[in-house]
Coordinates of all heavy atoms in Angstrom, one line a residue:
R6 N -27.8 21.0 22.3 CA -27.0 22.0 21.5 C -25.5 21.9 22.1 O -25.3 21.5 23.2 CB -27.5 23.4 21.6 CG -27.5 24.0 23.0 CD -28.3 25.3 23.0 NE -28.2 25.9 24.4 CZ -27.3 26.7 24.8 NH1 -26.3 27.0 24.0 NH2 -27.3 27.2 26.0
A14 N -14.7 20.4 27.7 CA -14.4 19.2 28.6 C -14.2 17.9 27.8 O -13.3 17.1 28.1 CB -15.6 19.0 29.6
L16 N -13.2 17.8 24.5 CA -11.9 17.9 23.7 C -10.7 17.8 24.5 O -9.6 17.3 24.0 CB -11.9 19.2 22.9 CG -13.0 19.4 21.9 CD1 -12.7 20.6 21.0 CD2 -13.3 18.2 21.0
L77 N -7.4 24.6 1.3 CA -7.8 25.5 2.4 C -8.4 26.8 1.8 O -9.4 27.3 2.4 CB -6.6 25.8 3.3 CG -6.8 26.6 4.5 CD1 -7.8 26.0 5.5 CD2 -5.5 26.9 5.3
A116 N -6.4 16.4 14.4 CA -5.1 16.5 13.8 C -4.0 15.8 14.7 O -4.1 15.8 15.9 CB -4.6 18.0 13.7
R149 N 29.7 -17.3 -7.0 CA 30.9 -17.1 -7.8 C 32.1 -17.7 -7.2 O 32.9 -18.5 -7.8 CB 31.1 -15.6 -8.1 CG 32.1 -15.4 -9.2 CD 32.3 -13.9 -9.4 NE 31.0 -13.2 -9.6 CZ 30.5 -12.3 -8.8 NH1 31.1 -12.0 -7.7 NH2 29.3 -11.7 -9.1
T160 N 40.6 -31.0 -8.8 CA 41.9 -31.3 -9.3 C 42.8 -31.9 -8.2 O 43.4 -33.0 -8.4 CB 42.6 -30.1 -9.9 OG1 41.7 -29.6 -11.0 CG2 43.9 -30.5 -10.5
P175 N 53.8 -47.5 -4.8 CA 53.7 -47.7 -3.4 C 54.3 -46.6 -2.6 O 55.3 -46.0 -2.9 CB 54.4 -49.0 -3.1 CG 54.4 -49.7 -4.5 CD 54.5 -48.6 -5.5
A179 N 55.1 -42.4 5.8 CA 55.0 -40.9 5.9 C 54.3 -40.3 4.7 O 53.5 -39.4 4.9 CB 56.4 -40.3 6.0
T186 N 46.3 -36.6 4.7 CA 46.0 -35.3 5.2 C 45.6 -34.3 4.1 O 44.6 -33.5 4.3 CB 47.3 -34.7 5.9 OG1 47.7 -35.6 6.9 CG2 47.0 -33.3 6.5
M194 N 37.2 -28.9 2.7 CA 37.0 -27.7 2.0 C 35.9 -27.8 0.9 O 35.1 -26.9 0.7 CB 38.3 -27.2 1.4 CG 38.2 -25.9 0.6 SD 37.8 -24.5 1.7 CE 39.3 -24.3 2.5
D223 N 10.1 -38.6 -8.6 CA 9.8 -39.9 -7.9 C 10.6 -39.8 -6.5 O 11.8 -40.0 -6.5 CB 10.3 -41.1 -8.7 CG 9.9 -42.4 -8.1 OD1 9.9 -42.5 -6.9 OD2 9.6 -43.4 -8.9
F277 N 27.1 -36.2 12.4 CA 26.9 -36.0 13.8 C 26.6 -37.3 14.6 O 26.1 -37.2 15.7 CB 25.9 -34.9 14.1 CG 26.3 -33.5 13.6 CD1 25.6 -33.0 12.5 CD2 27.3 -32.8 14.3 CE1 26.0 -31.7 12.1 CE2 27.6 -31.6 13.8 CZ 27.0 -31.0 12.7
T278 N 26.7 -38.4 13.9 CA 26.5 -39.7 14.6 C 27.8 -40.4 14.8 O 28.6 -40.6 13.9 CB 25.6 -40.6 13.7 OG1 24.3 -39.9 13.5 CG2 25.3 -41.9 14.4
I301 N 9.0 -37.3 4.8 CA 10.4 -37.8 4.8 C 11.0 -37.6 6.1 O 11.0 -36.5 6.7 CB 11.2 -37.1 3.7 CG1 10.5 -37.2 2.3 CG2 12.6 -37.6 3.6 CD1 11.0 -36.2 1.3
T306 N 21.1 -41.3 15.8 CA 21.4 -41.5 17.2 C 22.6 -40.7 17.6 O 23.4 -41.2 18.4 CB 21.5 -43.0 17.5 OG1 22.6 -43.5 16.7 CG2 20.3 -43.8 17.2
K312 N 17.3 -28.3 22.7 CA 16.0 -27.8 22.4 C 15.9 -26.3 22.2 O 15.2 -25.8 21.4 CB 15.0 -28.3 23.5 CG 14.8 -29.8 23.6 CD 13.8 -30.1 24.6 CE 13.6 -31.7 24.7 NZ 13.2 -32.3 23.5
E317 N 16.7 -22.0 15.9 CA 17.8 -21.2 15.5 C 18.7 -21.8 14.5 O 19.3 -21.1 13.6 CB 18.6 -20.7 16.7 CG 19.5 -19.6 16.4 CD 20.2 -19.0 17.7 OE1 19.8 -19.5 18.8 OE2 21.1 -18.2 17.6
A346 N 14.3 -24.7 0.8 CA 13.7 -25.6 -0.2 C 12.3 -26.0 0.2 O 11.4 -26.0 -0.6 CB 14.6 -26.8 -0.3
L370 N 6.0 -32.7 2.4 CA 5.9 -32.0 1.2 C 4.6 -32.4 0.5 O 4.4 -33.6 0.2 CB 7.1 -32.2 0.3 CG 8.5 -31.9 0.8 CD1 9.6 -32.4 -0.1 CD2 8.6 -30.3 1.0
A405 N 16.4 -54.4 11.1 CA 15.5 -53.7 10.3 C 15.5 -54.3 8.9 O 14.5 -54.2 8.2 CB 15.8 -52.3 10.2
G408 N 21.2 -57.2 4.1 CA 21.8 -56.8 2.8 C 22.5 -55.5 3.0 O 22.3 -54.8 3.9
G410 N 22.7 -53.4 0.2 CA 22.2 -52.5 -0.9 C 21.6 -51.2 -0.4 O 21.2 -51.1 0.8

Side-chain angles (χ1 to χ4, degrees):
R6 62 188 182 90
L16 298 192
L77 184 60
R149 190 181 308 114
T160 303
T186 301
M194 180 65 72
D223 186 328
F277 294 109
T278 300
I301 303 163
T306 58
K312 294 185 182 297
E317 192 174 353
L370 299 172

